Amino acid sequence: MGETRPGMLNEPVDPDVDLHIPAQRKALRHGQGPVVAVVALGGAVGASARYGASLLWPTTAGTFPWTTLLVNTIGCAIIGAFMVVITDVWAAHRLVRPFLGTGVLGGFTTFSTYAVDIQHLVDDGDARTGLAYLALTLLAALAAVWTAANLTRRVIEWRQR
Amino acid sequence: MNWVLVIAGAMVGAPLRYLTDRTVQSKHDTVFPWGTFAVNVVGCLVLGLVTGAVTAGAASSQVQLLLGTGLCGALTTYSTFSYETLRLAEDGARFYAGANVVASVVAGLGAAFTGAAFAQALWG
């Protein structure tokens, strides 16, 4: 993580709206309808992709939930790259970020299935698999978002040279 | 039909996450992502309850698809959770980044176990 690169400080912590900027806080009161609509639409797309993955690669009870792990890791990698691109280079329409970041990726990845799958593994006597799944998902997800964001920043820097 | 149930649930869950996050984030002034934390914990509780009900035979697999895969799946998020953790760490708020990971996992798991226990007590 080390040194701070110039573009990084502009990137928000929250992926949709930065409420610490008064203008953006005010903007919330206007035009919420279209934002909510694209978040719903994106959520449907993301959740369908996750459901499709679970049908293609079903997880049998008591085994390691690889499909959910992969879905969550891919979603984290995409949001890492996407947030850098949309903050630093792409002056996209104001609905693109809620649609892709909040809707599609938020609907694609899941925290509830992650937790409930661990609970099931532990309750069914597969505590070791549950703990391995808990740790591996965390590591993979955080490594994916960090790697994707930093690689994207490097590519942008290199192209601007 | 199964796809319709997942989509219907997601079309409620995703905007609910967005609106909850907005409401929670406008109510405090710290850098901690309470909004995402809140939706993730609530989603874990509801999914624990729903999955428990289905296991006990009190709810159908259609309910699992609508409320579980669709609603809870879209209400909760791993991508925003990890992205917010990354940004906190990069901004120098390493304590908050670590606290977000530990608190989200501990509270999420606690909620999932609580939901399952409630389901067991109600329908088991």
Side-chain angles (χ1 to χ4, degrees):
Chain A
M1 249 160 245
E3 84 275 38
T4 305
R5 266 181 284 279
M8 198 165 91
L9 293 173
N10 300 323
E11 290 158 24
V13 169
D14 201 301
D16 30 50
V17 184
D18 191 348
L19 291 160
H20 293 101
I21 301 166
Q24 291 202 13
R25 206 186 285 220
K26 201 189 270 177
L28 272 181
R29 284 194 284 270
H30 307 287
Q32 275 281 69
V35 177
V36 171
V38 297
V39 167
L41 206 66
V45 173
S48 299
R50 172 167 43 81
Y51 178 55
S54 79
L55 292 179
L56 279 174
W57 304 286
T59 303
T60 32
T63 62
F64 195 96
W66 285 109
T67 306
T68 308
L69 176 104
L70 214 66
V71 162
N72 279 337
T73 308
I74 291 169
C76 290
I78 299 176
I79 204 169
F82 171 70
M83 287 304 293
V84 171
V85 168
I86 204 150
T87 312
D88 296 347
V89 286
W90 182 25
H93 188 273
R94 72 178 182 98
L95 292 178
V96 170
R97 195 158 115 180
F99 174 73
L100 263 175
T102 312
V104 177
L105 295 173
F108 184 56
T109 62
T110 171
F111 200 89
S112 50
T113 307
Y114 165 71
V116 170
D117 278 349
I118 296 170
Q119 177 256 320
H120 267 259
L121 286 167
V122 171
D123 277 354
D124 296 347
D126 300 303
R128 201 173 290 184
T129 310
L131 282 178
Y133 175 59
L134 184 158
L136 206 61
T137 301
L138 265 182
L139 283 178
L142 293 174
V145 73
W146 183 82
T147 310
N150 281 291
L151 275 179
T152 310
R153 286 184 192 123
R154 262 190 217 170
V155 170
I156 291 168
E157 254 175 42
W158 175 76
R159 283 189 53 175
Q160 284 171 346
R161 220 166 265 164
Chain B
M1 185 60 197
N2 289 351
W3 289 89
V4 176
L5 292 169
V6 172
I7 289 170
M11 289 192 88
V12 174
L16 200 59
R17 166 164 44 80
Y18 171 74
L19 293 171
T20 308
D21 185 56
R22 294 277 56 81
T23 310
V24 172
Q25 291 307 93
S26 64
K27 297 261 188 293
H28 71 92
D29 239 1
T30 64
V31 291
F32 194 85
W34 286 113
T36 306
F37 175 84
V39 287
N40 276 346
V41 174
V42 171
C44 289
L45 181 77
V46 176
L47 187 63
L49 199 64
V50 169
T51 309
V54 173
T55 308
S60 63
S61 60
Q62 273 83 18
V63 172
Q64 174 82 42
L65 288 173
L66 178 73
L67 298 181
T69 313
L71 187 97
C72 291
L75 177 67
T76 61
T77 170
Y78 220 97
S79 51
T80 304
F81 158 71
S82 69
Y83 178 74
E84 286 171 341
T85 304
L86 171 78
R87 293 297 302 132
L88 286 170
E90 286 179 338
D91 281 346
R94 296 214 171 163
F95 169 77
Y96 284 108
N100 188 36
V101 170
V102 174
S104 295
V105 170
V106 170
L109 276 178
F113 275 94
T114 307
F118 266 118
Q120 177 73 29
L122 286 169
W123 303 293

